[in-house]
Amino acid sequence: MQVTPQSIWSDIVKIREQFPLIHNITNYVVMNNTANALLALGASPAMAHAEDEVAEMVNIANALVINIGTLSPHWISGMEKAILKARELYKPIVIDPVACGATALRSTTMQTLLQLANPSVIRGNASEIKALVSANIKTRGADSSECSDAAIEDALQLAQTYQCTVVVSGATDYIIDNKDVTKIYNGHPMMTKVTGLGCTATALIGAFVSVNSDIHQAASHAMAVMGIAGEIAVKKSVGPGTLQLHFLDTLYQLDAQQLMNYLKVEAV
Ligand SMILES: Nc1ncnc2c1ncn2[C@@H]1O[C@H](COP(=O)(O)OP(=O)(O)O)[C@@H](O)[C@H]1O
Ligand SMILES: Cc1ncsc1CCOP(=O)(O)O
Ligand SMILES: [Mg+2]
């Protein structure tokens, strides 16, 4: 398994040709942004959380993204139904444990959903990944209070527990499973000043796993695209407001040459 400009580009072409439907049960804060990011990449987003329709939506979707950013009881039931249907149909499930460790509701819900889901990928920042492993870790909210390097051991443990790929995002993005560790060095600190770019990363992972069954490679491709689009967009931006706009436009215009010019990856 390698992560190269060519391997990333090959997946982007597939996404743009196949227009995969990505079903997101996500949060109020980022719904619009993540839908737009999926469209800009070339995928087709659907945001649906009602208990009465999620199974039908999963039925036609190519991947399911579960994000616990703004939880409530009915949403949790919807997430459970969607997960059960996705498992029945062998569709990939990607999980974002937003602010896990900040409140008991988030931590307990996440444990229940993870056991139910058998996820393909869990993507969080360092604080969230650590909180998933140790119940005594308390986080301050959606933003990480630690560097991604601090969660490598926890990510490995999580990957072993759920037999899945774990992504820890941050200055360096770590993509970790039982066998491989991939590090992506792309990105820019200003990305942490735009709410929802972590959730966007998780949604893009959904798009990549829908066209690439090598889950570790697909997740690495998504994080590389996030970082590269972020870096290019920052150059055109004067702050987080314009970064949000330029990020979408850059994603839409991303080409093979830019991947060659910008990719900074290391496989361990
Ligand atoms: N210090 C940083 N330097 C470069 N890129 C970063 C940095 N922090 C986060 N990113 C990038 O921002 C995106 C969102 O990641 P992150 O901020 O860790 O997620 P979250 O919003 O869930 O906390 C990712 O693509 C990540 O690579
Ligand atoms: C701020 C906030 N609060 C609940 S969900 C959410 C968005 C978090 O998005 P991200 O983790 O991608 O910054
Ligand atoms: Mg997040």
Side-chain angles (χ1 to χ4, degrees), residues 8-21:
I8 299 170
W9 184 244
S10 158
D11 274 2
I12 292 176
V13 169
K14 281 185 198 152
I15 291 168
R16 290 178 181 172
E17 281 173 3
Q18 295 174 21
F19 198 41
L21 178 63

Side-chain angles (χ1 to χ4, degrees), residues 150-192:
I152 298 171
E153 287 305 316
D154 302 84
L156 186 57
Q157 198 176 319
L158 206 55
Q160 282 164 349
T161 304
Y162 294 103
Q163 291 296 302
C164 68
T165 296
V166 175
V167 177
V168 190
S169 58
T172 303
D173 297 317
Y174 291 90
I175 299 90
I176 294 179
D177 64 21
N178 267 336
K179 299 192 305 291
D180 300 303
V181 177
T182 303
K183 302 183 195 181
I184 307 278
Y185 298 109
N186 294 103
H188 190 281
M190 201 197 288
M191 294 172 78
T192 63

Side-chain angles (χ1 to χ4, degrees), residues 27-30 34 67-70 96 98-99 106 123 125 128 141-143 191-192 194-202:
N27 65 73
Y28 290 118
V29 183
V30 306
T34 47
N67 175 312
I68 64 159
T70 48
D96 191 324
V98 179
R106 283 164 199 276
R123 198 285 324 159
N125 62 41
E128 292 159 348
D143 297 321
M191 294 172 78
T192 63
V194 177
T195 192
L197 280 184
C199 303
T200 296
T202 309

Side-chain angles (χ1 to χ4, degrees), residues 60-160:
I60 54 171
N62 300 100
L64 172 67
V65 176
I66 298 284
N67 175 312
I68 64 159
T70 48
L71 278 179
S72 66
H74 284 300
W75 282 46
I76 296 171
S77 307
M79 288 173 182
E80 289 173 350
K81 285 194 172 154
I83 285 170
L84 287 174
K85 192 67 180 176
R87 287 205 64 176
E88 181 192 325
L89 299 175
Y90 299 101
K91 304 211 175 175
I93 302 172
V94 182
I95 302 259
D96 191 324
V98 179
C100 192
T103 67
L105 178 70
R106 283 164 199 276
S107 301
T108 53
T109 302
M110 208 59 254
Q111 294 304 334
T112 309
L113 295 180
L114 280 177
Q115 307 220 346
L116 210 58
N118 192 20
S120 295
V121 185
I122 304 167
R123 198 285 324 159
N125 62 41
S127 294
E128 292 159 348
I129 296 300
K130 286 176 87 71
L132 281 178
V133 174
S134 313
N136 58 339
I137 300 264
K138 296 283 169 248
T139 60
R140 284 187 55 248
D143 297 321
S144 190
S145 40
E146 302 207 49
C147 293
S148 49
D149 315 59
I152 298 171
E153 287 305 316
D154 302 84
L156 186 57
Q157 198 176 319
L158 206 55
Q160 282 164 349

